[in-house]
Amino acid sequence: MKSQDIRDKFLKFFESKQHLIVPSAPMVLKDDPTLMFVNSGMAPFKEYFLGNADPKKNRIADSQKCLRVSGKHNDLEEVGYDTYHHTLFEMLGNWSFGDYFKKEAIAWAWELLTEVYGIDKDILYVTVFEGSDDDSLDVDQEAYDIWKQYISEDRILMGNKKDNFWEMGDQGPCGPCSEIHVDIRSADDKAKVDGKSLVNMDHPQVVEIWNLVFMQYNRKANGSLEILPNKHIDTGMGFERLCMVLQDVQSNYDTDVFTPIIREIETISGKGYGKDDKTDIAIRVISDHVRAVAFSIADGQLPSNTGAGYVIRRILRRAIRYGFTFLNQKEPFIYKLTDTLSKQMGTAFPELKNQKRLIENVIKEEEHSFLRTLDQGLLLLDRVIENSKSETISGTKAFELYDTYGFPLDLTQLIAKEKGYTIDEAGFNAEMKKQKDRSRAASASETSDWVVLKEDDTEEFIGYDTLAVDVKLTRYRKVTSKKEGEQYQLVFNMTPFYPEGGGQVGDKGSIEASNGEVIYILDTKKENNVIIHIAKNLPEHLNDTFRAEVNEEHRRLSASNHTATHLLHQALRTVLGEHVEQKGSLVRPKSLRFDFSHYAKVEPDQLQQIEDFVNARIKENLPLEEQRNIPMQKALDEGALALFGEKYGDTVRAIRFGQSMELCGGTHVPNTGDIWHFKIKSEGAIAAGIRRIEAITNMAVGDYFETIDKEYQALKEVLKNPNEPVKAVENLQSENADLKKQIEQLLKDKAKNVKGDLKNEIVDVNGVNFIAKKVDLDASGIKDLCFELGGEVDNLFAIFGADNNGKALLSCYISKSLVAEKDLNAGTIVRELGKHIQGGGGGQPFFATAGGKNPDGIEEALKAAKNYL
């Protein structure tokens, strides 16, 4: 059974059980501060389990793409070493929100596995929660009694809290669970060892395929449990493992989910899968990681140095270095796998097809960048080895390579071993632990339970229509962190405060009590569909009526910049083409940032057209046309742009200014004229195929022009207040160019004078005319000197060094006859000598240069040059 059919059968089965089939949510989370990525099938539905929103239907099923890079059995550095754990995986799930419970969940799971998929019940085991004294919980007898209707009791195993009690986090909905495990070992292996003894023992052929979670408790901040008012079902079945079972293979990587990618890696690398352990691990790592990276980019998360982007960069770099070390891939190649992945999974996940070009370009650019970094790291490792006073390299140095250049310990150990050295692994691990401890300490926070003052099912946002309203506090909680100290999160029955979202920062403002007490709102965020107002203090009278008021200027300027991003988007698509798609934005009171897909530099005249286009729309005084709660399809039919990677409901809010129409929840000006003016400050690439424009509007433009005017007046003063400042600058540039030519000629003359003295210092070394000398010339002068000497002296091997303003320079010239006869290469030689000046370089076999930051090493390099003869 092909993987596509396996997925379809799951969805059709639950559709027949009156479940609503929904598409996979984007893997990159945008409004959950507790998670970067969807790491389980239930993550997109957290707001329903928490009671903060109502689902479209009480029964839902889907196939959700998930990403895990840490946690139980999912350490990134372990993926590839076994055959059944992954970074990215699909989770097939069925959900009940206060509808059916254990009886139906167990019955349908058994029916699907044994009757629809035809899995032999004699290879299945199930686990049931054994209870916990810590939580005063008994054995899940209800689940046990239901299971024994379907499977013999000797195949029902008891599981502890670690394996059979599922929790959303330190706090929140939780409950006992039943795992379904499958034993796909051979008959001989089964005869030797009973399968039940291998359940949850990390055996590659005795694995969990489905987890049925019975959500019936809520974990409070003090660790205690309370019963939820509604009981829920949350199940998750590993799609890749299910395919392994149904396709009768012994590894997830032998299923048709992975084999097309593996075959392409074999073709590119010339290495076969299944012949060598290290090669196999590398191929598994790459085939797993390319999926994770491709889906992340398609969902809008580019590799970067911080946050979620750092996670994606780390995954991709791990794949690159395994290809580099074990598949001998020294040039970018992973991007070539995107085509195979798109063909294979593009039907189920069309974003892979739609974003294919972007995925390829981003991965290729990241490969180029990291391969350059690896080269730099290799040079550093060479220096570390050279400077080591023993045959054991310090763990601190090995960790520096890992932390700065992404060198994993095993790669450092491999290279060191080839040169007869070992690594202090204990020292490396100690440095790694210090870093992790620092990271945990920096991000540590403590969140108390919500204190509920007033039951309120719907917290209404009214900030589109007003900036001030009387409100009641419905609940609050205290959050303590090292960075922010003690803060309070406040929730009101209604609010005019816009929560951070859609690229726009959250509102600031205040609430005022009837006694005049003022509490300042520092920020507004949305978490699991709840608008949270962050304050440093808690009101004295919690049950008072408060006057909530948004900071008008903060909102007005944010709205100005947000409307400008819509007009900018329209301008980009008009000037550059309709291939342009928004890939991210940041809207603040002082400025805006807009990321978009485009595969070439935006030329100055195009930038001017874009800026002029936006300002023309501003001058037209276009009114805001807003449609709230419009059916999404109707909005799309009317021409609204939807941003890929955003999560939209059945009804949406559509914003139109003239011909610009987008789905957007942000705040906007009533009329484009309120923006006043739009000015682009910068444009550049942030990744392959992704450009960024930074711009300003409104008061910031006035400040900008005022600053420019002051600088212009200062410049005129420096130029002695000429009538034509531009012409005065042009004259200075012309004079400067003439002076440069004169200096160049003087340096050439100086080189000629030096040449005569240096010819007398040339010595014969094994039939080669050799000279190594420090000279007082720049790079151009040294080059002229080398070639003039080379034209007058046969069989010349010359090395010259110079200290130019604190920067070291080495140049190597070798007569072409020597290059052929003696097998000498100036590029190789200067690269090696460059280590003495803490730098590197290269060039042609007969002439090459190196630059470095250590002028004190020049003499050492010149002395070492003679060794090559």
Side-chain angles (χ1 to χ4, degrees):
M1 193 183 302
K2 291 191 177 297
S3 55
Q4 181 68 45
D5 299 327
I6 293 170
R7 188 189 295 109
D8 288 345
K9 280 184 180 290
F10 177 90
L11 297 175
K12 285 176 181 174
F13 175 82
F14 280 102
E15 190 174 33
S16 73
K17 305 296 185 187
Q18 290 76 54
H19 287 65
L20 174 67
I21 308 303
V22 298
S24 172
M27 194 168 66
V28 182
L29 285 165
K30 305 229 173 137
D31 62 352
D32 187 342
T34 65
L35 286 175
M36 289 181 182
F37 302 96
V38 170
N39 65 353
S40 66
M42 63 77 60
F45 306 119
K46 279 174 71 173
E47 60 197 46
Y48 305 145
F49 288 117
L50 292 165
N52 297 331
D54 295 322
K56 300 174 188 176
K57 192 174 180 181
N58 287 337
R59 298 182 182 187
I60 286 176
D62 69 353
S63 177
Q64 175 63 47
K65 51 196 176 185
C66 304
L67 185 71
R68 286 185 188 172
V69 290
S70 62
K72 178 187 172 185
H73 305 313
N74 288 289
D75 189 327
L76 173 62
E77 296 300 334
E78 297 303 317
V79 172
Y81 284 83
D82 67 27
T83 60
Y84 56 97
H85 285 112
H86 304 287
T87 49
L88 176 121
F89 59 96
E90 281 186 67
M91 188 166 278
L92 304 172
N94 58 290
W95 322 88
S96 166
F97 306 106
D99 190 356
Y100 62 84
F101 201 47
K102 296 179 186 179
K103 179 182 176 182
E104 293 84 355
I106 291 172
W108 291 339
W110 191 255
E111 180 186 350
L112 177 63
L113 292 178
T114 61
E115 297 179 25
V116 177
Y117 287 137
I119 297 175
D120 184 351
K121 66 181 181 181
D122 291 332
I123 68 169
L124 296 174
Y125 292 91
V126 299
T127 59
V128 170
F129 180 50
E130 68 182 9
S132 167
D133 291 339
D134 292 343
D135 290 317
S136 301
L137 294 175
D138 295 328
V139 172
D140 189 356
Q141 192 64 44
E142 181 185 2
Y144 187 94
D145 291 340
I146 297 169
W147 274 120
K148 68 182 184 182
Q149 299 175 40
Y150 302 100
I151 190 170
S152 60
E153 290 188 58
D154 65 333
R155 288 181 170 272
I156 306 175
L157 312 177
M158 290 296 161
N160 59 23
K161 181 178 175 180
K162 175 175 171 286
D163 290 322
N164 280 83
F165 193 88
W166 194 93
E167 306 204 39
M168 186 185 294
D170 293 335
Q171 295 166 241
C174 54
C177 60
S178 277
E179 297 176 339
I180 304 174
H181 296 254
V182 62
D183 182 355
I184 56 173
R185 294 175 301 147
S186 67
D188 287 345
D189 286 341
K190 290 176 183 176
K192 293 174 188 172
V193 180
D194 192 349
K196 70 174 65 177
S197 67
L198 300 176
V199 168
N200 277 327
M201 299 302 291
D202 284 336
H203 191 287
Q205 278 85 48
V206 183
V207 295
E208 172 198 345
I209 56 170
W210 206 349
N211 190 13
L212 314 180
V213 179
F214 313 125
M215 209 82 80
Q216 58 191 99
Y217 300 106
N218 179 53
R219 176 78 67 184
K220 301 181 74 174
N222 64 7
S224 65
L225 295 174
E226 63 182 6
I227 296 174
L228 289 172
N230 292 311
K231 297 178 180 179
H232 311 291
I233 288 294
D234 156 18
T235 86
M237 177 151 59
F239 174 66
E240 293 81 5
R241 295 184 185 185
L242 179 63
C243 290
M244 175 180 71
V245 175
L246 296 179
Q247 293 179 6
D248 195 24
V249 293
Q250 297 293 296
S251 159
N252 290 1
Y253 293 93
D254 293 331
T255 68
D256 70 343
V257 176
F258 287 97
T259 50
I261 304 173
I262 289 174
R263 283 197 295 269
E264 188 64 20
I265 296 171
E266 289 178 308
T267 300
I268 293 169
S269 67
K271 304 276 188 179
Y273 183 67
K275 299 176 182 177
D276 172 76
D277 282 348
K278 289 183 177 178
T279 300
D280 290 354
I281 289 169
I283 290 175
R284 286 197 292 268
V285 164
I286 294 161
S287 61
D288 172 275
H289 290 7
V290 70
R291 291 173 9 118
V293 173
F295 273 105
S296 298
I297 294 170
D299 276 358
Q301 182 56 65
L302 299 177
S304 70
N305 287 329
T306 57
Y310 175 71
V311 174
I312 302 307
R313 176 165 284 167
R314 187 176 165 215
I315 293 171
L316 180 53
R317 287 187 167 188
R318 184 171 187 256
I320 296 167
R321 72 194 188 218
Y322 270 84
F324 180 89
T325 306
F326 300 107
L327 303 185
N328 198 33
Q329 295 301 298
K330 310 304 183 189
E331 297 293 330
F333 76 101
I334 295 173
Y335 76 95
K336 297 176 183 177
L337 305 175
T338 303
D339 187 56
T340 301
L341 182 62
S342 174
K343 289 174 181 174
Q344 178 195 357
M345 301 189 73
T347 301
F349 301 98
E351 60 268 29
L352 287 176
K353 287 183 176 178
N354 298 337
Q355 305 292 322
K356 178 172 168 286
R357 186 180 177 190
L358 174 66
I359 296 167
E360 285 177 336
N361 285 343
V362 170
I363 292 178
K364 186 177 182 181
E365 178 61 29
E366 284 287 315
E367 288 189 87
H368 270 302
S369 174
F370 187 52
L371 287 169
R372 287 194 296 269
T373 301
L374 280 175
D375 282 338
Q376 293 170 349
L378 288 169
L379 287 171
L380 179 59
L381 180 55
D382 284 342
R383 284 204 295 274
V384 168
I385 290 173
E386 284 175 13
N387 296 329
S388 179
K389 294 177 182 176
S390 72
E391 293 183 351
T392 301
I393 306 298
S394 92
T396 303
K397 288 293 183 184
F399 181 76
E400 182 185 335
L401 279 165
Y402 167 82
D403 200 35
T404 306
Y405 295 97
F407 264 53
L409 180 61
D410 56 3
L411 178 55
T412 305
Q413 286 173 323
L414 183 71
I415 296 168
K417 185 179 178 182
E418 289 172 353
K419 302 193 177 189
Y421 289 79
T422 58
I423 304 295
D424 173 17
E425 192 168 342
F428 176 92
N429 292 333
E431 291 297 321
M432 177 71 85
K433 183 177 184 301
K434 284 181 194 174
Q435 188 193 63
K436 287 182 176 179
D437 289 345
R438 285 193 298 268
S439 178
R440 286 194 196 98
S443 61
S445 65
E446 185 179 322
T447 304
S448 66
D449 288 318
W450 286 109
V451 177
V452 179
L453 302 173
K454 179 178 182 293
E455 291 295 341
D456 184 58
D457 292 337
T458 57
E459 178 200 12
E460 189 181 359
F461 173 68
I462 57 173
Y464 296 137
D465 303 310
T466 184
L467 297 183
V469 69
D470 291 336
V471 300
K472 298 287 285 187
L473 184 61
T474 61
R475 52 177 156 156
Y476 70 90
R477 66 183 178 188
K478 184 167 72 174
V479 177
T480 307
S481 67
K482 185 172 182 179
K483 182 180 178 182
E484 304 294 347
E486 194 174 274
Q487 291 185 326
Y488 290 90
Q489 296 183 346
L490 314 177
V491 178
F492 303 113
N493 61 328
M494 66 179 73
T495 180
F497 288 84
Y498 177 79
E500 178 184 328
Q504 182 176 332
V505 298
D507 280 337
K508 300 176 186 291
S510 63
I511 59 168
E512 184 175 356
S514 57
N515 65 358
E517 179 192 20
V518 175
I519 301 292
Y520 292 100
I521 303 300
L522 308 176
D523 199 359
T524 312
K525 295 183 180 293
K526 197 169 191 178
E527 181 179 331
N528 298 315
N529 208 44
V530 174
I531 298 176
I532 294 170
H533 309 75
I534 298 169
K536 199 68 181 171
N537 304 301
L538 198 61
E540 183 180 353
H541 301 292
L542 298 174
N543 294 310
D544 203 350
T545 296
F546 301 94
R547 185 66 176 174
E549 192 162 344
V550 174
N551 181 310
E552 190 275 335
E553 182 175 288
H554 185 279
R555 165 70 79 84
R556 177 174 59 83
L557 296 177
S558 293
S560 177
N561 282 325
H562 202 148
T563 300
T565 64
H566 285 220
L567 300 180
L568 173 59
H569 196 185
Q570 182 191 8
L572 288 165
R573 290 170 64 86
T574 301
V575 174
L576 303 180
E578 293 195 356
H579 64 279
V580 168
E581 291 183 358
Q582 181 177 336
K583 292 298 176 185
S585 69
L586 176 61
V587 175
R588 297 177 290 194
K590 290 184 178 180
S591 63
L592 66 92
R593 190 177 76 200
F594 192 83
D595 301 338
F596 58 98
S597 57
H598 185 58
Y599 300 98
K601 182 180 185 298
V602 183
E603 298 298 333
D605 64 316
Q606 292 176 315
L607 276 179
Q608 190 60 56
Q609 290 178 54
I610 291 163
E611 192 175 286
D612 291 345
F613 183 98
V614 175
N615 282 316
R617 305 291 82 75
I618 292 172
K619 289 177 183 176
E620 288 174 6
N621 293 310
L622 300 171
L624 165 64
E625 297 177 48
E626 177 192 26
Q627 296 182 71
R628 298 181 195 173
N629 299 318
I630 178 177
M632 180 167 177
Q633 193 55 52
K634 184 174 186 294
L636 296 176
D637 292 343
E638 291 182 10
L641 290 178
L643 304 183
F644 190 81
E646 290 290 338
K647 188 178 175 183
Y648 295 107
D650 290 337
T651 60
V652 293
R653 179 172 178 254
I655 297 296
R656 183 194 291 275
F657 289 97
Q659 297 302 308
S660 166
M661 184 177 179
E662 296 190 21
L663 305 184
C664 180
T667 65
H668 292 273
V669 294
N671 187 292
T672 58
D674 296 329
I675 298 172
W676 187 68
H677 198 77
F678 171 82
K679 179 66 185 171
I680 294 175
K681 293 194 71 176
S682 67
E683 187 278 337
I686 58 168
I690 303 291
R691 314 289 299 180
R692 170 173 291 171
I693 282 178
E694 296 190 354
I696 51 177
T697 68
N698 216 293
M699 290 169 58
V701 177
D703 294 340
Y704 171 79
F705 285 141
E706 188 175 321
T707 301
I708 293 292
D709 185 61
K710 286 178 181 176
E711 290 175 354
Y712 173 69
Q713 296 302 329
L715 180 62
K716 282 181 68 176
E717 284 185 31
V718 170
L719 297 171
K720 309 300 183 188
N721 292 305
N723 292 326
E724 299 180 67
V726 174
K727 191 170 182 180
V729 172
E730 288 173 347
N731 289 337
L732 279 176
Q733 289 177 322
S734 179
E735 288 176 24
N736 189 46
D738 290 340
L739 289 170
K740 277 186 175 179
K741 286 178 183 177
Q742 292 177 35
I743 292 170
E744 284 173 9
Q745 187 58 48
L746 287 170
L747 288 171
K748 282 185 179 180
D749 293 341
K750 183 178 179 181
K752 286 178 182 177
N753 293 332
V754 170
K755 180 185 69 176
D757 296 332
L758 292 177
K759 282 177 74 174
N760 297 325
E761 297 187 40
I762 294 173
V763 296
D764 183 288
V765 179
N766 297 326
V768 174
N769 288 315
F770 174 76
I771 184 169
K773 186 78 175 176
K774 187 175 180 181
V775 294
D776 184 20
L777 294 170
D778 65 1
S780 177
I782 293 176
K783 185 176 182 180
D784 289 339
L785 173 64
C786 285
F787 281 92
E788 288 197 20
L789 274 175
E792 298 178 16
V793 180
D794 294 332
N795 293 336
L796 179 65
F797 183 146
I799 293 281
F800 293 116
D803 180 350
N804 292 156
N805 299 317
K807 292 183 179 178
L809 176 69
L810 291 174
S811 292
C812 178
Y813 175 90
I814 304 175
S815 295
K816 290 187 178 180
S817 57
L818 284 178
V819 170
E821 292 169 15
K822 300 277 190 180
D823 193 27
L824 295 171
N825 187 304
T828 303
I829 291 170
V830 85
R831 191 157 42 242
E832 288 295 316
L833 294 178
K835 294 175 183 177
H836 294 286
I837 58 172
Q838 294 179 19
Q844 297 171 296
F846 60 89
F847 181 75
T849 61
K853 58 184 179 182
N854 179 29
D856 293 337
I858 292 174
E859 294 294 345
E860 211 176 325
L862 296 175
K863 287 178 186 175
K866 197 171 184 178
N867 296 332
Y868 289 95
L869 300 178

